[in-house]
Amino acid sequence: MKNNNYTIITLGFALFAMFFGAGNLILPPFIGIKSGSEFFYAIIGFIITGIIFPLISLIAVVQNGHNFTDLGKRVNKKMITLLAFIIIWFIGPLIAIPRTGATTFEIGLQPIFPDISPIISAVLFFGITGFLAISPSKIVDIIGKYLTPVIILLLLILIIVGIVDVSHVPEISSLSPVDSFALGFHEGYQTMDVLGAVIFAGIIITTITEKGFTEVNQRVRMTIMAGLIAAFCLLIIYGGLVYLGATSGYPVTDDLSRSKLLLHISNSILGKSGTYIISLAIALACLTTAIALTSAFATFMEKITKGISSYKINVIFCCLLSAILSVKGVDEIINYAGILLGFVYPIVFTLIIYLIFFEKIIKAKAPYVAAVITSALVSSLSIFQHYGIAESFITSLKDSLPLVKHSLEWVLPSFLAFTITSFFSKKRA
C-alpha cells in the first residue's frame, strides 16, 4: 500500500506539472482582475474547463485503452488516427512547445537578463528539454519527484504572502456573475489542457503499467487518484492566482498584458525577489510541460512510422523545430495558433464528452462519428471566416447558431447529429 500511495502521489505531481504550463500561470490573474468582485464565479468557470474537462478526457482514454488512438475501436480508427496526428503536432512542435520556450524567454529570463538573446535562450531551454526527454521511462519520476514540488512551493509562497498582506479589495465588477463565469470558462480553453490530457494519458498509462499495475481497473483507479491530487493542486494555485489578480489594484485597460500583470503582482507582493520567484516558476512550469509534450510527440511519431523514425530522433527533431519557432515570440505564436486551436478543441471535446456519458448506452459507432464530423464542420466556419472565404454568408450562418456568443456554437448541432444518428442506428438494429 505504501508503494501504491507513493506511486499515486508521484503521478499526481507529474500530472500537475504536465498540465501547468505558461498559460496556466498567466491566465488566472487576468481572470481575477477582469472579474473583480465576482471573481468566485470566474474561478468556477475556469475550474470546469481548466481542471474538470482535462481530467474527464484523461479518464476516457484510460478506460478505452493505452493511448488516444485506442478510441478508434469505439469510433473510427482512421478518424481517430488523423485527429491524434493533428493534435500531437499542435500541442507539440508547431504551437504549444515553442510557446513554452518563448514564454520562458520573455517572462522567465529577459526580466533578469535584459541583454540575453532569444536564440541563446532557445538553445538552452530546448537543450535541457531534449536531454530530459530522451529517457521516457524516467520522465514521470523526474517531473513528479523533483520539478513539481519546487513549482508548487514557489507559487504557494507568492499566494500565501499575497493573501496575508493584501493591500487592495477587489474592484466592483461591471460583469454579472454569469458573465464572470463565462469569462473563466472561456479562458480555460486557452490552457489547451483537454488536448494535452488525451496525449499525456499514454505517458501516465505506460508509467502505471511499468510499475506493475496492468489490469484496467487498476489503471483507472490509479489515474483517478493521481488526477484528484493534480486537480487539488491546480485548484489551490488557480484560486490563489485569481484572487491575487482581483486584489492587485492594477489598472484595467483594453490592451491589458497578462505577463505584465503577473510581474506586477509578484513585484508588489515580494519586491525584487518576486521577479526571481515568478521567473523561476515560469521556467520550471514551461520546462515540465515541454518535456512531457516532447516525449509524447516522439512516442507517437515512433509508433505511427512503425519505428522508422526512432524515439530519440523524434525528440531531437521536435526540439530543433520548436526552438526555431520559439524565436518568433509569444504573441506571434498565439496569433497563428488561435484559429487552429479553435478548430480542433471542439472536435476533441465532442468526442470525449459523448464517450464518457453515452458509451455504455449507445454501442454503435455511427452516432459518435456523426457528432465529431458535425463539430468539425461547424468549427471550420471560423477558419473560412478568418480567411475571408464567402465571408458574408459564413458570418450570417455562424451568427445564427445558438451559443455563438460563448464560442459554443458546435454544441447543439453535434448533439442533434448524435441524437438523430442514434435513433436510426437503433432502428436498423
Side-chain angles (χ1 to χ4, degrees):
M1 180 61 70
K2 182 178 179 181
N3 289 337
N4 287 12
N5 291 339
Y6 178 76
T7 300
I8 289 170
I9 292 171
T10 301
L11 287 171
F13 278 170
L15 270 175
F16 167 84
M18 290 176 185
F19 286 137
F20 198 80
N24 308 65
L25 187 54
I26 295 174
L27 292 170
F30 176 83
I31 295 171
I33 197 171
K34 283 287 189 179
S35 57
S37 58
E38 305 293 344
F39 70 88
F40 178 75
Y41 298 98
I43 291 176
I44 295 175
F46 193 69
I47 286 172
I48 292 175
T49 48
I51 298 179
I52 295 176
F53 285 171
L55 184 57
I56 290 174
S57 301
L58 185 69
I59 293 171
V61 176
V62 175
Q63 286 179 333
N64 285 277
H66 289 79
N67 52 61
F68 180 63
T69 54
D70 287 339
L71 295 181
K73 291 180 291 186
R74 286 293 296 113
V75 186
N76 179 280
K77 186 175 181 180
K78 291 182 179 179
M79 174 185 287
I80 296 300
T81 300
L82 175 60
L83 184 57
F85 185 84
I86 294 172
I87 291 172
I88 201 67
W89 278 86
F90 281 8
I91 68 170
L94 292 184
I95 300 173
I97 300 178
R99 193 177 69 175
T100 62
T103 304
T104 299
F105 166 70
E106 294 181 12
I107 301 178
L109 294 179
Q110 200 171 36
I112 300 175
F113 308 103
D115 296 328
I116 189 172
S117 164
I119 297 177
I120 294 176
S121 173
V123 170
L124 290 173
F125 181 84
F126 289 105
I128 296 172
T129 297
F131 175 76
L132 294 178
I134 282 292
S135 300
S137 62
K138 297 180 180 179
I139 185 170
V140 171
D141 286 339
I142 290 171
I143 294 174
K145 286 181 183 177
Y146 306 112
L147 298 182
T148 305
V150 176
I151 297 171
I152 295 175
L153 178 62
L154 292 173
L155 293 175
L156 283 178
I157 290 173
L158 179 66
I159 291 169
I160 292 172
V161 175
I163 292 175
V164 171
D165 293 334
V166 62
S167 56
H168 297 86
V169 296
E171 295 285 339
I172 300 299
S173 179
S174 60
L175 300 178
S176 68
V178 174
D179 290 335
S180 296
F181 173 86
L183 171 67
F185 189 90
H186 299 157
E187 287 290 318
Y189 286 159
Q190 301 300 325
T191 65
M192 296 195 299
D193 283 346
V194 167
L195 301 184
V198 298
I199 301 301
F200 292 154
I203 298 176
I204 297 300
I205 293 170
T206 298
T207 302
I208 292 174
T209 303
E210 288 177 350
K211 293 184 182 296
F213 304 98
T214 56
E215 299 294 326
V216 175
N217 289 339
Q218 288 179 318
R219 293 202 307 266
V220 172
R221 177 183 172 276
M222 296 283 283
T223 301
I224 291 175
M225 295 301 293
L228 290 175
I229 292 175
F232 176 77
C233 294
L234 289 169
L235 176 61
I236 297 298
I237 300 301
Y238 286 159
L241 290 174
V242 170
Y243 179 76
L244 294 185
T247 58
S248 65
Y250 196 74
V252 181
T253 59
D254 292 336
D255 58 348
L256 177 65
S257 168
R258 291 170 174 81
S259 58
K260 288 181 180 178
L261 171 61
L262 184 60
L263 289 172
H264 166 79
I265 290 172
S266 62
N267 287 333
S268 61
I269 293 173
L270 299 174
K272 184 63 178 177
S273 60
T275 300
Y276 294 101
I277 287 179
I278 209 66
S279 295
L280 182 58
I282 278 283
L284 289 177
C286 289
L287 182 63
T288 54
T289 301
I291 293 169
L293 290 174
T294 300
S295 177
F297 174 83
T299 300
F300 179 86
M301 293 306 296
E302 181 180 41
K303 181 178 179 180
I304 203 171
T305 61
K306 302 185 186 305
I308 296 175
S309 180
S310 70
Y311 177 87
K312 290 185 178 180
I313 293 297
N314 292 327
V315 167
I316 294 171
F317 168 79
C318 182
C319 289
L320 285 174
L321 180 57
S322 299
I324 293 171
L325 293 178
S326 73
V327 178
K328 293 179 176 293
V330 174
D331 289 338
E332 187 170 340
I333 293 172
I334 289 176
N335 286 339
Y336 75 70
I339 190 66
L340 299 177
L341 294 173
F343 171 72
V344 170
Y345 200 103
I347 299 173
V348 176
F349 190 58
T350 297
L351 174 66
I352 296 299
I353 286 296
Y354 288 119
L355 282 176
I356 284 288
F357 290 103
F358 299 107
E359 181 184 17
K360 294 182 179 180
I361 303 173
I362 307 298
K363 299 296 184 181
K365 293 183 178 182
Y368 301 97
V369 174
V372 169
I373 291 175
T374 301
S375 283
L377 291 173
V378 175
S379 297
S380 66
L381 296 178
S382 296
I383 296 179
F384 294 141
Q385 189 178 40
H386 178 77
Y387 289 105
I389 301 173
E391 188 171 1
S392 58
F393 171 73
I394 294 296
T395 299
S396 60
L397 176 61
K398 184 179 176 182
D399 289 345
S400 67
L401 295 173
L403 302 177
V404 66
K405 291 183 179 180
H406 301 292
S407 300
L408 296 171
E409 62 272 14
W410 48 273
V411 172
L412 291 180
S414 67
F415 181 73
L416 285 174
F418 182 83
T419 303
I420 294 171
T421 311
S422 297
F423 174 78
F424 284 106
S425 296
K426 287 183 179 179
K427 200 169 183 179
R428 285 197 299 269

